DNA sequence: GGATTCCCGACTAGATCGGTCGGGATGGCC
DNA sequence: GGCCATCCCGACCGATCTAGTCGGGAATCC
């Protein structure tokens, strides 16, 4: 019931990117230092995020990564799902033909309900929200 | 973001036990058949549940397992936590000294919030609730 | 004392996690 | 065209975890 370290790194990377001036791309190395992430491992992760359509990259001098969408359109759930291959799934822990005993349905349904609540929250939790949360002043400034 | 198969088996076992006549203990083998759980594996699991204070056992002919608490006092969270060694923990995925970048706190706090919601729900979800859910009639009978 | 049932530690094959390594492809600059 | 920066990408690897299996011991009851 955790996310992988990889997914955690991915979240950090996106947050770091989102919290930096958008006028120039950021290099892997800089992200690695800021986030405390092993460089070569981060490379893999960024590649996955790129393939998932969240990031865009540029090579050569002055190259690096930047977001491909506004922060309000990137969700935590999206990132976790992309990296770990899915979100919360308590209900069917790798099962096909479920045994049928008294209470089996209740159990399955109850767990599914938790899954749905968690996942819908994770999918609605945006990077924008996370950054705003870090600086409550900004929210006041916008009169929110 | 799943529970282990072991925890899933544990949940089934408890539900099976809770959904059976409480006048006589149930044997491991019967539970294994009903729940579709490998016998020797289930043995280990039941032992853990017993050590955790959820079950009580009796040896010899006519022996077996039975619950040690009323179903309304056994929660899904309790069982998962006992077997898997913890509940939902998205926030600190094995980390100590957190890196401090812009948005780091917001990220951590947002994930913690999800953790808390999930865990409090899992701890409040009782076996009684699961069984009642399986047979909505019973709830009507009690005028709930 | 023998049948039945739980108790319990040791072992294991395979998957997954959390990376590392080495080099290739591409873009920009002179 | 040469060179450097930077991203791209597949192969590999040790440690840990998962999902069990195995074999026998201990209590209980007749």
């Amino acid at each position: 019931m955790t996310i992988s370290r990889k997914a955690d790194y991915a979240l950090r990377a996106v947050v770091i990117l989102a919290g930096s001036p958008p006028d120039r791309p950021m290099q892997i190395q800089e992200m690695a230092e800021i986030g405390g992430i092993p460089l070569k491992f981060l490379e893999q992760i960024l590649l996955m995020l790129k393939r998932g359509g969240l990031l865009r990259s540029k090579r050569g001098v002055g190259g690096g990564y930047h977001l491909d969408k506004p922060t309000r359109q990137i969700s935590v759930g999206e990132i976790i799902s992309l990296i770990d291959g899915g979100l919360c799934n308590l209900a069917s822990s790798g099962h096909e033909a479920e045994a049928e005993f008294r209470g089996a349905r209740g159990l399955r349904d109850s767990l599914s309900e938790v899954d749905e609540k968690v996942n819908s929250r994770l999918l609605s939790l945006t990077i924008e929200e996370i950054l705003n949360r870090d600086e409550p002043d900004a929210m006041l400034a916008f009169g929110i």
Side-chain angles (χ1 to χ4, degrees), chain A:
Chain A
M1 269 198 102
T2 66
I3 56 176
S4 68
R5 193 97 129 208
K6 201 168 181 176
D8 184 60
Y9 288 157
L11 289 173
R12 291 197 219 176
V14 172
V15 168
I16 289 172
L17 228 41
S20 312
D23 52 335
R24 58 174 174 84
M26 181 179 272
Q27 289 131 25
I28 298 181
Q29 185 168 0
E30 191 180 352
M31 276 188 259
E33 284 165 5
I34 294 177
I37 308 171
L39 180 70
K40 296 294 280 183
F41 198 28
L42 181 56
E43 272 190 23
Q44 289 183 22
I45 293 166
L46 293 173
L47 224 33
M48 293 180 77
L49 292 173
K50 183 192 169 178
R51 291 187 182 129
L54 296 180
L55 266 43
R56 198 173 282 269
S57 65
K58 215 180 141 194
R59 297 201 244 206
V61 181
Y65 279 95
H66 58 94
L67 299 181
D68 198 26
K69 297 197 273 188
T71 57
R72 85 179 53 187
Q73 283 175 35
I74 304 179
S75 72
V76 168
E78 197 177 351
I79 297 171
I80 294 177
S81 180
L82 188 61
I83 301 292
D84 285 349
L87 287 178
C88 194
N89 188 1
L90 309 179
S92 62
S93 297
H95 261 267
E96 334 72 42
E98 188 71 41
E100 267 317 328
F101 46 87
R102 178 153 134 67
R105 176 176 36 249
L107 180 58
R108 212 178 328 109
D109 291 355
S110 299
L111 294 179
S112 283
E113 220 167 62
V114 174
D115 285 340
E116 280 166 30
K117 286 222 179 86
V118 176
N119 294 340
S120 88
R121 173 58 186 141
L122 287 177
L123 290 171
S124 77
L125 175 61
T126 67
I127 303 300
E128 181 186 44
E129 188 180 339
I130 285 174
L131 283 183
N132 282 342
R133 188 175 186 142
D134 219 50
E135 295 181 18
D137 304 344
M139 298 179 67
L140 289 175
F142 283 113
I144 300 174

